[in-house]
Amino acid sequence: MKQGSVIVRGVGSYLPRKILTNHELALMVDTSDEWIRTRTGISQRHIADTHEACSDLAYMAAKNALADAHLQTEDVDLLIVSTITPDMIFPSSAALLQAKLGLRNVMSFDINATCSGFLYALEVATHLLQNGKSYKCALVVGSEKLSSIVDWKDRSTCILFGDAAGAFILEYTPAEHVGILDSVLGADGSSPEKLYCGSLQPTTTITKHFMKMSGQEVFKNSIYWMRKAVEELLERNHLTKTDIACLIPHQANLRIIQSLAQSIGLPMDRVFCNLEVTGNTSSASIPIAFAQAKNSHYFHSGDNIILVAFGGGFTWGATLIKWP
Ligand code: COA
């Protein structure tokens, strides 16, 4: 294994232009702005155009991340896209993005780990950069067009989700103990019926599927697994909650985030939230929140930042970053 670290060299995000407010949703299903804001903390979400696919959203976020990193496409030698809403079953959205960006013919593949997917992708990219002889710079994107799998007649789910993409440029550096330091990741696939998109029965044809969710089960499990992941991450890195300068959680529901912060014992002024304007964008949510936190100087050099996510599967993860 090489010495050195993997740092976040650049960040980028993209939110489609069209905004769907709670008030507009209340004209589509039996709900209200007040109910949605009180139960979720969400006021609006962005919705992609019909002609925009996952790889198009990813393209915009990737371009922004490359610009932020002051790098060119030829500098990238690994591409991973995390998504549950790929343009098509195959080719992967990463392969499509490779062509759209005009990258060299670098290894490009998708990861599907739902809302934890971006943290899974970071873990894979970090190990390849740290251990692989030929990788120096990775583009990791979380990109979702959730509006394509939302049932717009189901008020218990359609209020939650939005479309967006976020991207990191990761780079190997010989410096020690900075950047992405450690991750705790897990999965429990024993209850797929609690949050899924597809058929739970074997089928012979591919039909249009919408996501289905048992809201309260997901709510409880998300707090439980995210708290466990954060605590394990802190323990094995000999840190305590007072060492966390900034927690950037998956932006699913403000009540989930508040309960998580309370269970860890972290004040909300150390927890970054932007879900009010984005809704839940699945694997795009953490890189978008991170980009916004970075650009608003929410964290500083030497800070310990923890990213934490939970999603269908169930899957979960927590990642520790020391900001250089
Ligand atoms: N507007 C108005 N009423 C609604 C509604 C809506 N959009 N959606 C559900 N309701 C109703 C229900 O029908 C129910 O009515 P009833 O009491 O007459 O049966 C009532 O509100 C309470 O429903 P419940 O499901 O218990 O609400 P809740 O407080 O659990 O909130 C969620 C629902 C979905 C907001 C919440 O469970 C949640 O956020 N879960 C986690 C979802 C999530 O984050 N998923 C992604 C994970 S990555």
Side-chain angles (χ1 to χ4, degrees):
M1 183 164 141
K2 286 191 279 195
Q3 298 295 306
S5 311
V6 172
I7 57 161
V8 182
R9 164 97 186 244
V11 297
S13 61
Y14 174 69
L15 294 160
R17 226 170 341 134
K18 185 179 167 198
I19 289 172
L20 180 64
T21 65
N22 290 350
H23 293 289
E24 289 167 309
L25 262 177
L27 301 173
M28 297 161 60
V29 286
D30 183 12
T31 190
S32 67
D33 173 56
E34 209 245 323
W35 194 96
I36 302 171
R37 273 192 294 105
T38 315
R39 300 286 177 122
T40 71
I42 298 166
S43 294
Q44 61 166 59
R45 67 287 296 142
H46 292 249
I47 303 294
D49 279 345
T50 39
H51 69 268
E52 275 182 311
C54 167
S55 64
D56 298 310
L57 308 181
Y59 173 86
M60 300 300 288
K63 280 288 210 191
N64 290 335
L66 281 164
D68 187 50
H70 303 290
L71 291 176
Q72 309 299 321
T73 48
E74 53 268 30
D75 297 313
V76 174
D77 42 32
L78 169 65
L79 169 60
I80 307 178
V81 173
S82 164
T83 186
I84 53 169
T85 48
D87 300 41
M88 46 185 135
I89 292 172
F90 68 86
S92 68
S93 295
L96 300 172
L97 180 60
Q98 178 272 335
K100 284 180 183 173
L101 285 169
L103 295 189
R104 291 179 290 115
N105 300 121
V106 300
M107 178 161 75
S108 306
F109 60 95
D110 286 2
I111 280 184
N112 173 341
T114 62
C115 305
S116 315
F118 192 77
L119 300 190
Y120 274 55
L122 283 186
E123 172 81 341
V124 174
T126 301
H127 281 272
L128 285 170
L129 290 169
Q130 191 111 44
N131 302 323
K133 290 189 179 71
S134 55
Y135 305 105
K136 291 190 181 62
C137 177
L139 169 59
V140 181
V141 190
S143 183
E144 303 289 4
K145 189 177 181 180
L146 295 171
S147 60
S148 66
I149 58 165
V150 160
D151 179 353
W152 291 102
K153 293 192 175 78
D154 175 9
R155 67 177 183 173
S156 67
T157 52
C158 75
I159 56 158
L160 298 171
F161 299 98
D163 301 333
F168 279 11
I169 301 287
L170 302 182
E171 192 178 61
Y172 171 76
T173 166
E176 300 272 343
H177 309 303
V178 287
I180 299 173
L181 298 184
D182 194 14
S183 283
V184 169
L185 299 155
D188 174 6
S190 60
S191 309
E193 72 286 354
K194 298 204 169 106
L195 180 54
Y196 69 99
C197 179
S199 177
L200 291 172
Q201 307 300 328
T203 54
T204 50
T205 51
I206 296 172
T207 50
K208 171 78 180 164
H209 291 294
F210 294 124
M211 80 166 82
K212 307 225 172 13
M213 181 180 71
S214 308
Q216 291 189 5
E217 291 291 332
V218 173
F219 197 103
K220 280 184 277 178
N221 273 281
S222 68
I223 297 163
Y224 175 79
W225 287 113
M226 286 195 288
R227 178 183 58 75
K228 258 180 90 89
V230 171
E231 286 176 353
E232 190 180 331
L233 189 65
L234 289 175
E235 194 183 330
R236 83 181 184 201
N237 287 278
H238 311 292
L239 299 171
T240 68
K241 63 186 181 192
T242 55
D243 298 309
I244 307 174
C246 173
L247 183 80
I248 302 184
H250 169 48
Q251 306 289 308
N253 180 320
L254 186 59
R255 285 160 56 222
I256 291 177
I257 294 173
Q258 287 166 335
S259 302
L260 172 69
Q262 193 182 26
S263 71
I264 302 169
L266 206 62
M268 279 302 284
D269 63 2
R270 279 194 266 154
V271 181
F272 188 84
C273 294
N274 67 350
L275 84 173
E276 185 184 359
V277 293
T278 61
N280 180 344
T281 60
S282 191
S283 64
S285 98
I286 284 187
I288 293 170
F290 189 97
Q292 201 181 326
K294 175 185 173 266
N295 294 337
S296 57
H297 307 288
Y298 198 80
F299 48 78
H300 306 97
S301 178
D303 278 354
N304 290 312
I305 304 160
I306 290 187
L307 316 178
V308 62
F310 176 84
F314 293 129
T315 62
W316 56 86
T319 297
L320 173 64
I321 297 178
K322 183 171 272 296
W323 196 242

